[in-house]
Amino acid sequence: MASTGKSDERRTRIQEVRRRLAQEGPPWTRDREADFETVTVPEGDCDQLRDLLISEGVQTIVEVGLAYASSALAIGEALVTVSAPRPRHIIIDPFQERDWSNVGWDLLRSAGLDSIASLMPAPSSIALPQLLTEGLVTDAAFVDGSHRFHEVFVDLYFLRKIVRPGGLIVMDDAGAPSVEAAIRYYEQNLGWTVIPGAFAGGTLTAVAADVTAEPAMRCKAMRLPDPAFEPPFEAFHAF
């Protein structure tokens, strides 16, 4: 019972930090108009991310991009709720100190999540291969880093080797044309499948510049195949 009570106290502390962040904004923002509202993952999508990770029993996760920490706090709440013996949350963000004045990391610390989270201040193209070399295996990943096609593609290349077979990769801004194109390759060639309804009722965003295109959910959750496989090069499907 004592451990349950401690877990409840930790969760309450995280929820309070999340509530203040959503209602009052962060204690510091970049000097750009409505920067927090533009950059951060909306609270409702964060709630759905939390619930998805809890339902999957996720114990270890890697996150690309920290910024104002809205998604990181939701992930931390999920890990505390699952109450695994050794939860681990690896966050990659080379700009957290330089561009964000450590505001996201400070919020995680105020929520007491620095005990299970670690920050790698390196580009994901360097940090992910390092984690792979170290033998890291995670249950899931959340990706909200660079939105350039080639960098998203590289993130996903390494994450499919780090996230366990059958695990989850969740993308923010999945409707952005560059992100959508990278995802499509992995869906069509490597057996990734969208989890239907994972973000039902979440934030809708435009898919492309085409004004006639139907808006799509901002966040997208995909399940990796189990077992993992490497297709023959002759089986390539254009994307």
Side-chain angles (χ1 to χ4, degrees):
M1 292 293 291
S3 61
T4 301
K6 186 176 180 180
S7 178
D8 289 343
E9 289 177 8
R10 294 182 71 191
R11 188 162 57 247
T12 299
R13 181 177 175 183
I14 298 164
Q15 290 170 344
E16 176 59 22
V17 174
R18 289 191 62 207
R19 183 194 65 79
R20 289 202 310 269
L21 179 62
Q23 294 182 0
E24 304 170 13
W28 175 93
T29 64
R30 296 184 301 178
D31 187 19
R32 302 181 185 181
E33 185 177 355
D35 191 60
F36 171 67
E37 295 81 359
T38 302
V39 169
T40 198
V41 181
E43 183 182 18
D45 296 273
C46 286
D47 287 344
Q48 291 180 303
L49 172 63
R50 174 202 61 200
D51 294 344
L52 174 64
L53 298 179
I54 292 172
S55 69
E56 292 283 327
V58 167
Q59 302 182 33
T60 305
I61 184 168
V62 61
E63 180 175 13
V64 179
L66 178 57
Y68 295 112
S70 59
S71 57
L73 287 164
I75 290 169
E77 184 182 345
L79 292 173
V80 168
T81 302
V82 171
S83 194
R86 287 180 296 277
R88 191 176 179 193
H89 182 189
I90 304 99
I91 305 167
I92 300 168
D93 192 334
F95 307 113
Q96 177 61 199
E97 180 178 3
R98 189 192 75 186
D99 290 2
W100 305 95
S101 294
N102 281 322
V103 63
W105 184 246
D106 288 344
L107 284 165
L108 285 178
R109 291 179 60 193
S110 71
L113 287 170
D114 52 323
S115 61
I116 63 175
S118 58
L119 177 62
M120 297 183 70
S124 55
S125 57
I126 295 174
L128 289 172
Q130 179 181 328
L131 293 172
L132 179 62
T133 300
E134 293 172 358
L136 176 69
V137 177
T138 69
D139 298 309
F142 182 73
V143 185
D144 188 18
S146 169
H147 290 12
R148 299 182 183 94
F149 168 80
H150 55 282
E151 291 177 320
V152 178
F153 190 93
V154 170
D155 285 349
L156 298 183
Y157 172 83
F158 285 107
L159 286 171
R160 71 180 284 262
K161 297 175 179 290
I162 290 172
V163 177
R164 63 171 175 79
L168 303 181
I169 294 182
V170 181
M171 306 292 297
D172 185 36
D173 293 319
S178 54
V179 178
E180 184 185 37
I183 294 171
R184 195 159 55 241
Y185 168 81
Y186 290 90
E187 287 182 297
Q188 296 187 12
N189 289 276
L190 291 169
W192 295 18
T193 55
V194 176
I195 300 177
F199 288 92
T203 305
L204 289 172
T205 57
V207 174
D210 181 2
V211 295
T212 64
E214 289 293 325
M217 293 298 171
R218 171 172 175 154
C219 293
K220 189 173 190 177
M222 293 160 292
R223 191 175 301 283
L224 274 59
D226 186 9
F229 68 94
E230 292 291 347
F233 74 87
E234 302 94 338
F236 174 77
H237 297 284
F239 62 101

